Structure formats: C-alpha cells, structure tokens
Amino acid sequence: MKDLITAEGTGAPARFKELYFTEALREALVEEMDRDPEVFLLGEDIGIYGGCFGVTRGLLEKYGADRVRQAPISEGGTMGVAVGAAIMGARPVIELMFMDFITLAMDQLANHAAKFRYMYGPQSRVPLVLRCAAGAGRAYGATHSQTLEAWVLHVPGLKVVAPATAADAKGLLKSAIRDDNPVVFVENKVLYQSRELIPEGEYLIPLGKARHVCEGADVSIISYSRMAREAEKAAGILAEEGIGADVLDLRTLAPLDLEAILESVTKTGRVVLVEEGTRTGGVCAELAMQIFEHAWDSLDAPIQRVTTPDIPIPFAPELEAAVIPAAGDIATAARALAEM
Amino acid sequence: MWLIRLFEEKVDQLFAEGVLRGTSHLCAGQEASAVGVVAGLRPTDYVTSTHRGHGHFLAKGGDPRKLMAELFGRATGYAAGRGGSQHVACYEIGFLGSNGITGGGIPIATGAALAIQRRKQDHVVAAFFGDGAANQGVFHEALNMAAIWKLPVLYVCENNLYAMSTPVREAFAVEDIAARAAGYGMPGVVVDGMDFFAVRAAVAEAAERARAGGGPTLLECKTYRMLGHSRGDRRVYRTREEEAQWAARDGIPRLRDALIRCGEMTEAEAERIRDDVAREVEESVAFAKASPVLPVEAALEGVYA
C-alpha cells in the first residue's frame, strides 16, 4: 500500500485492522462528515434501515435526519436535488441502491451535473458523489445486477471510480467526496461482505492512479473492481504454470491511469483486459483502443478481452455464475496469449 | 420589462437577418411574470430558469451586454460562448441557470433550497418552468420532496397555454396546473401573469411563508408568449385572434398606465425609459459584435473543476 497518502503526508501506515468492505466505506463517510459539515447523505432507506447493504448503518443515529436525508423513491428528482445542493456549495453523497437504477437518474447526472462546469464556467462546481451498488452474483436478476461503468465513462465531465479492495474503497471514497467534480463511485455488491485489512488512521488514495497488484513479465492482466480480484486469483493459477502475470487494478476509470497501463503493456507485450460489464461498447473496448493507439508496436499478440456476453444477466445462480467472468476464464485467456 | 421586450425583439430581428445562429426561445409577452416574480423576492434569493430564460435573467439583474454576447457566441458572454441561450448562469446575482432540459431546473431549485435549509438561512429559491414541464416526472418527484421536507422553494409555472405546439387542453386533464398542488400537500395559487402587481404580491406572500418554515408553494401565472416557441415556428397551432386577445392584455402598457395613473411616473418619463432601454439594447449588440470568439483550444478545456 505504498501509494497511500497519509494525513501526515509521507510513509506507510504502521498498523492494520480488519473490516468489512461496507464498514470501510462507512468509515470514509464518517470521517468526511466529521471533517466537513457540508457533506450530507441522500438516498433511499439510508436512515434507520442503514442502507440496502448496510453501508449507512448507525449514521442516522449519529448525524440525525437532516444530514442523513432519506429520500422517497425518486431517483431522478433526488439526483437533481443533489445537483442543486452541490452548486450551492454542499457536498451530497447519494446512495443509488442498485447501479441499474442509474437510468432513472441519468438526465440530471449526464445533462446537468456533468456539463455545468463547462457550460456555466468556473463559477459552477458540482461536488457530488453518486455511490452505486453494482454487479452480479447474488441472483437478483437482470435489473439488479448490472455494471454500467461504460455508460458513465462516455460522459465528459464525470469521474468514475471503482475500488477493488476495502482499503482502496475507503481511501478513494474520501478523495471522491473531496473532489469538486461529480464522481460516480461504483461499489461491487459481492465485495461488500469481504472482510479485509484496512490501514489504521486517516489516509486518502488519489483518483486516477492504478494499483499494481502483482509483478510479472509474460502477460498483463488489466481490470478493476471485482474483476481485479479475479485477475489476482488468475495470476496465482498462472504462476503455478510458470506464467508471470502483471496485474493492474485501475481503481479509477475516469481519469484513466494510462501511464500505468502502458508501462505494463510495453513490459509484457501481451494484454488481457477484464470487465464484468457486457462486451459490446464496454470499458475493455475503450482500453484496448487506447493501448492500440499508444503502444501497438509493443504488442506481440492481439489484445484479449474477457467480459460478460451481450445478454441481460440471467437469474438462475448456475447460469449467472457461468456468464460472469471468473479467475478460470481470465487464466485461460492469458495462457493462450502466453503460448502464442 | 421594456428591457426584456426590446431585447427579445432585437434577438428576433437578428435571427431574421441571419446574424445570430442556432435557435432562440423568446419570452416577449411574458415580462410581467418574470419581473413580478423577481420583484416579489429579495435580491439575495435565487432562481432557476428554463430554455426561455432571457427574461428571467434580465429581471434578476443580468447584464444585457454579456447576455447578448453569449447569444453571439463570444468570449465575453456569460458562458464564454460555450453555453448559448439555453445554458447561461450567474450565481453572483442568484441566477442558477437557464436550462435546455424541460423541467431540468425544477429538482435543481429544490436541491438549492435544501442547501439553504441545511444552513438555516432564510433565502428562497424560485423555480421557473412552463406548462410543458409540469408533465415531466421530476416535477412530481421534486414537488413531493419539497413538501415533505418543507423546503423554501416557490414553483412558478408560467402557463402560456402551449408547450411548443401542444395546447394545454390536450396535455392536462385539469384546467389549472395549480390544482396539482393539493396532491403534494402545498398551496396552489393561480395568478394573472400579465399583471405585474398580482404576480409580485403572490410571490411575496409565498416567499414569506417559505422563509417562516411554511414550505413550498405552486404558483401558476397565466400568461402568453407573443412569438413562436423557437425560430421557424409559424404558429399554426393557434389563431391570430387569440394572439390579438392576449396582446390587448399586454403587461407593459398595463404597468405603465398604472404607474402614470397613481403619479409614480409621467408620460414623458415613460417614453424616456423606453428610449434609454432601446439604446441599452443597441449597445449590447455593438458590444457583442465587437467581442472575439474563444480560441478553439479553450473549447477543449474547462470540463472539470
């Protein structure tokens, strides 16, 4: 965790504690709310229920209903309310219960939040964070299982963050809240129950910097969010076969850490890109093109991508598990490249 | 009100001459509503506006030169030429922005009011919108939230009887849009939008209620736009007779006559005001024409704070 910025500015934190991913997010919210009275929460069932996935548990009791503002089921209106509050200098953090519901918030997010700074100029800032629970794996069905980063990646003016670890989630959420731009913060719902080591004390992780998960010389595996964890597992499988995987967790999609991507690609010459989103027009398509534009003469093999196929996510757990990428699929793709 | 009328007529003329590009949504005829609302508020209050926002902007204190420069797409415009007619704001004077999405300003005004409430300030936000926007889903969502949270926001519906070409009788099953207020648990008030004094009084009352913690109000100003929805609108969806009827109720001569009758102003002074304003509008055009366009490189910047 050498790239963590501590409150003191230098050095790695000395001690760690074990927290659930959800608790790490909650700590970020608490720290930022304690630090800045303008930070407040908006969302459905974030009050006494503690949020659909428990992220805001206890916060109503701690901060009160004015600050933990529970909204009716009005994603479009709530998004607009957040925009209006943000342009007045407030820093709303909206919880979107399922990323699939971003469709309902899209006008205010894409036509307003994302464009105000450009159209209205420096007088206008929209410092909001839209926290989305994304991803499949809980058999919730097609409208509760999507990962829609590609949609928001396509909107100039938005930042898009997608942590893969609890430690990153905390540090990145803090940075996102302090950022003066609208940030779509993508949380994977399967990772919520992951119990992991978090550094003690306050730390921030900057947006736009990837995490180098493990070092390898043979093939680059580039991903983000839950798939970065699967990529890490795939690297373990490949290591047993003598194949060295260089795994990169992007952490932020916009702004993208192209430098880290190109550093890995020029080292290995072979690239597997992984996303949980569907294939056509997905994040990997964009990454592949940028790699091609900047480093095609470093490539020793065609770029591979491992994605969910172009289907709505099926409900049956067996079907869902079969269509979402996993470590085995990633290892298969990487192995094929390494053997070329 | 003359400033708005003459500004809009000048813009209409400039488009007809091919000098201005893009499109425009002019509010000539609706001046009493814009000016009456702003007059009923404090200068420190806020407004959100619509695609038809020149009147709201000028009423709130916008500089006609910078607004005209924006319509010309020049670097001296409010949005440096990057926004255009539908996307200008000046937070300094409490103008939170014109908006190219019908109804887009309604939840934004609601959120601004939420920020004010959280800070325990006593400002009020007025959200301008038209009859068309009252059918957007966010109208429903925003009014409900304002009501349950008792936010200091005034929802000002300028019902000019047509959403582009769609008449209200085809878009609403009720006669008054203000009737919807009951469904949200807030007062609904209908006012003659051509009567400056009536608008101002209604807004002042609603603003005081909001400031005292009494929550939002839905105000419906019955008004009429004299020109088309946008450029190239031949107004085939309404009759010249109807237009003449509303022109006879023009808010500007009505206000002028009232001020002269009660001794606030003489005929000569009224003429002088109009002449001064006409000159101001000409100056704004000259200012715009003399201003440069942003260099292209600048168009690639300023996406992020």
Side-chain angles (χ1 to χ4, degrees), chain A residues 118-123, chain B residues 7 57 62-85 87-90 284 287-294:
Chain A
Y118 185 83
M119 296 190 305
Y120 297 151
Q123 65 180 323
Chain B
F7 187 97
F57 203 174
D63 180 344
R65 295 174 312 148
K66 289 175 71 171
L67 183 57
M68 187 63 79
E70 186 61 33
L71 302 188
F72 271 80
R74 302 300 164 97
T76 51
Y78 271 106
R82 303 200 301 196
S85 169
H87 312 108
V88 285
C90 184
S284 72
F287 171 78
K289 283 181 171 172
S291 297
V293 179
L294 271 187

Side-chain angles (χ1 to χ4, degrees), chain B residues 131-151:
Chain B
D131 44 284
N135 282 329
Q136 284 280 32
V138 287
F139 168 88
H140 167 68
E141 296 180 11
L143 267 67
N144 181 55
M145 279 189 272
I148 57 179
W149 294 336
K150 290 202 147 1
L151 297 179

Side-chain angles (χ1 to χ4, degrees), chain B residues 56-264:
Chain B
H56 305 145
F57 203 174
L58 294 171
K60 194 74 174 77
D63 180 344
R65 295 174 312 148
K66 289 175 71 171
L67 183 57
M68 187 63 79
E70 186 61 33
L71 302 188
F72 271 80
R74 302 300 164 97
T76 51
Y78 271 106
R82 303 200 301 196
S85 169
Q86 300 185 81
H87 312 108
V88 285
C90 184
Y91 292 179
E92 203 171 59
I93 58 173
F95 189 78
L96 298 179
S98 54
N99 198 304
I101 302 296
T102 302
I106 297 173
I108 292 171
T110 310
L114 175 60
I116 288 165
Q117 185 187 69
R118 289 206 62 243
R119 292 179 185 144
K120 303 189 180 358
Q121 296 169 322
D122 70 348
H123 307 307
V124 164
V125 187
F128 283 108
F129 57 98
D131 44 284
N135 282 329
Q136 284 280 32
V138 287
F139 168 88
H140 167 68
E141 296 180 11
L143 267 67
N144 181 55
M145 279 189 272
I148 57 179
W149 294 336
K150 290 202 147 1
L151 297 179
V153 53
L154 272 50
Y155 294 104
V156 182
C157 179
E158 294 177 312
N159 182 355
N160 62 16
L161 307 185
Y162 297 91
M164 195 155 138
S165 70
T166 303
V168 289
R169 68 176 172 281
E170 286 180 16
F172 291 87
V174 294
E175 178 68 33
D176 295 325
I177 294 170
R180 291 181 168 180
Y184 302 111
M186 72 174 76
V189 179
V190 177
V191 66
D192 178 0
M194 308 305 269
D195 180 346
F196 164 81
F197 294 107
V199 174
R200 184 178 67 173
V203 168
E205 185 185 322
E208 282 323 297
R209 175 166 51 246
R211 270 183 246 285
T217 302
L218 173 59
L219 251 89
E220 179 183 358
C221 296
K222 304 280 194 189
T223 184
Y224 200 80
R225 56 164 156 80
M226 289 174 172
L227 301 169
H229 161 71
S230 65
R231 288 304 302 161
D233 178 6
R234 290 176 301 119
R235 310 185 322 274
V236 296
Y237 47 86
R238 58 190 203 185
T239 65
R240 302 294 93 92
E241 290 76 25
E242 181 185 86
E243 293 175 357
Q245 279 163 16
W246 281 90
R249 298 173 53 194
D250 190 339
I252 295 182
R254 216 161 142 179
L255 175 61
R256 186 196 65 202
D257 294 347
L259 290 174
I260 290 171
R261 258 202 317 275
C262 71
E264 282 291 328

Side-chain angles (χ1 to χ4, degrees), chain A residues 37-40 42 66-67 69-90 104 107-108 111-112 114-126 155-159 179-182 254-255, chain B residues 46 70 78-80 82-83 86-92 95-101 103-121 123 125 138 141-142 144-145 148-149 151 298-305:
Chain A
E38 289 290 0
V39 179
F40 74 102
L42 266 171
D66 171 80
R67 208 159 171 204
R69 190 67 72 126
Q70 182 159 288
I73 305 175
S74 302
E75 285 86 357
T78 301
M79 190 76 234
V81 162
V83 172
I87 62 174
M88 297 285 277
L104 298 151
D107 177 68
Q108 286 290 332
N111 280 328
H112 297 88
K115 293 178 170 56
F116 277 7
R117 170 59 181 82
Y118 185 83
M119 296 190 305
Y120 297 151
Q123 65 180 323
S124 187
R125 279 174 298 180
V126 191
V155 181
L158 296 179
K159 294 195 176 179
D179 198 300
D180 283 345
N181 295 283
Chain B
Y46 297 86
E70 186 61 33
Y78 271 106
R82 303 200 301 196
Q86 300 185 81
H87 312 108
V88 285
C90 184
Y91 292 179
E92 203 171 59
F95 189 78
L96 298 179
S98 54
N99 198 304
I101 302 296
I106 297 173
I108 292 171
T110 310
L114 175 60
I116 288 165
Q117 185 187 69
R118 289 206 62 243
R119 292 179 185 144
K120 303 189 180 358
Q121 296 169 322
H123 307 307
V125 187
V138 287
E141 296 180 11
N144 181 55
M145 279 189 272
I148 57 179
W149 294 336
L151 297 179
L300 302 178
E301 292 164 0
V303 178
Y304 292 99

